[in-house]
Amino acid sequence: MEWENYVIQQCPASAFYIPDFITAQEETFLLSQVAKTPKPRWTQLSHRRLINYGGVPHPRGMIAEAMPPWLQNYVDKINQLTGVFGDDKKANHVLVNEYLAGQGIMPHSDGPLFHPTITTISCGSHAVLEFYEPQETEDGTTTTMQRVPVTKLLIEPRSLLILKDDMYHKYLHYIAEIRQDVIDENVSNISKVSKVQLSDVLERTTRISFTIRHVPKTSKMKIKLF
């Protein structure tokens, strides 16, 4: 697959959106595997939960762990996208996020623990990913940080989203904690999505995302984290 052909021209460099990257049958399979995950395997956050596969990234290095075979198939599928992480890098980590209807994630950037490319397969529900540019403003002696809207992306079930360059380094991305999304003119990939038009109101259900990345600093030996 020539993933570079799926670039979103209407937003800053660089975002790529591939609809139907996986089939409906594959989506059902992935959701069933996540549903069978034992509760202790999940990391519970204040408003949602997640699972790390391949290891837990840490500034001092990630202790590499074996990827379950059912998930390795999709890591391999990403690695078959020639050059997506550069010439000699392969995905070695998967972050599984669960978003119930009304749940989201605060504005953030993914930072230096990862190679600066995000690849995300979505299952279940859609999401609207919003991007902001952090800017400092000064009023006399007071400096405040503002978030200037940049763009939005509609992420459909079974799609693959790839983020690089400024879309990784420069802008914060987040998902609002709401139960429905109104599709407006700020959604820059509207021409690439199916059966969705401006002003449509989309109801959220449970979304499971698989963010598949390359962690450069890994070790097979136990390291002291504290």
Side-chain angles (χ1 to χ4, degrees), residues 103-176:
Q103 293 182 339
I105 189 169
M106 64 183 291
H108 69 287
S109 60
D110 283 26
L113 297 184
F114 307 97
H115 180 77
T117 296
I118 301 172
T119 72
T120 302
I121 298 172
S122 293
C123 296
S125 180
H126 78 280
V128 172
L129 195 60
E130 303 187 38
F131 293 83
Y132 286 86
E133 181 177 6
Q135 291 186 356
E136 289 186 354
T137 60
E138 293 188 6
D139 181 12
T141 59
T142 302
T143 300
T144 58
M145 183 68 73
Q146 293 184 337
R147 298 198 301 266
V148 179
V150 174
T151 193
K152 299 179 183 178
L153 299 176
L154 172 59
I155 312 303
E156 297 173 292
R158 300 183 293 282
S159 68
L160 175 69
L161 176 67
I162 303 171
L163 300 177
K164 290 176 169 285
D165 307 318
D166 282 352
M167 291 293 277
Y168 184 96
H169 291 290
K170 186 175 181 179
Y171 305 121
L172 306 177
H173 55 277
Y174 95 111
I175 299 172

Side-chain angles (χ1 to χ4, degrees), residues 47 99-105 125 175-181 203-206:
H47 295 291
Y99 297 93
L100 304 181
Q103 293 182 339
I105 189 169
S125 180
I175 299 172
E177 292 185 332
I178 54 180
R179 289 183 173 272
Q180 58 181 212
D181 294 286
E203 298 287 340
R204 294 189 192 175
T205 57
T206 298

